[in-house]
Amino acid sequence: QSQLVESGGGLVQAGGSLTLSCTASTRTYGLYHAWFRQAPGKDREHVATVDWSGDVQYYSEFSQGRFIISRSDAKDTVYLQMNSLSPDDAAVYYCAAKLGGPSQRPSDWTWWGQGTQVTVSS
């Protein structure tokens, strides 16, 4: 029974947009949340991180300017708005949470969702 549940994945054409959601089933006060992605045969890589307030965001280079990470007003849902998608963005996208501060290393994150598939056609 995961504490984080992703949704919103699907098939989009190159150049299109998609918004993913991650909903927490427990209290989220003080937690950082992040999106990671993993394509077949590749390592899991960091996409974006947001602090608990939602005011501080961190982006990996490939997502900077194209993706937006945000929180709901109630702080229980984290979104990833993805724009200008390309086939290189196709992957399983995972939501993660941790205490303390941001990190780009998957092993530093404590809680994980099951992932949602994003497919981009060219």
Side-chain angles (χ1 to χ4, degrees), residues 98-117:
K98 70 185 296 291
L99 292 166
S103 173
Q104 295 190 13
R105 296 182 60 199
S107 61
D108 287 342
W109 293 79
T110 304
W111 298 280
W112 291 87
Q114 294 297 108
T116 185
Q117 177 72 52

Side-chain angles (χ1 to χ4, degrees), residues 17-85:
S17 299
L18 197 65
T19 298
L20 308 180
S21 298
C22 171
T23 300
S25 61
T26 60
R27 292 193 300 270
T28 59
Y29 180 80
L31 294 178
Y32 282 72
H33 286 82
W35 289 95
F36 288 78
R37 70 185 189 185
Q38 188 166 25
K42 295 185 177 181
D43 293 332
R44 190 167 297 189
E45 64 178 346
H46 177 263
V47 178
T49 293
V50 65
D51 74 339
W52 183 83
S53 73
D55 294 332
V56 182
Q57 304 166 17
Y58 305 86
Y59 296 97
S60 294
E61 183 176 353
F62 69 85
S63 58
Q64 182 72 51
R66 293 194 301 133
F67 295 1
I68 301 172
I69 188 169
S70 62
R71 289 189 182 274
S72 64
D73 290 340
K75 312 299 184 185
D76 61 347
T77 303
V78 181
Y79 303 99
L80 182 68
Q81 181 183 344
M82 302 184 292
N83 302 307
S84 301
L85 288 165

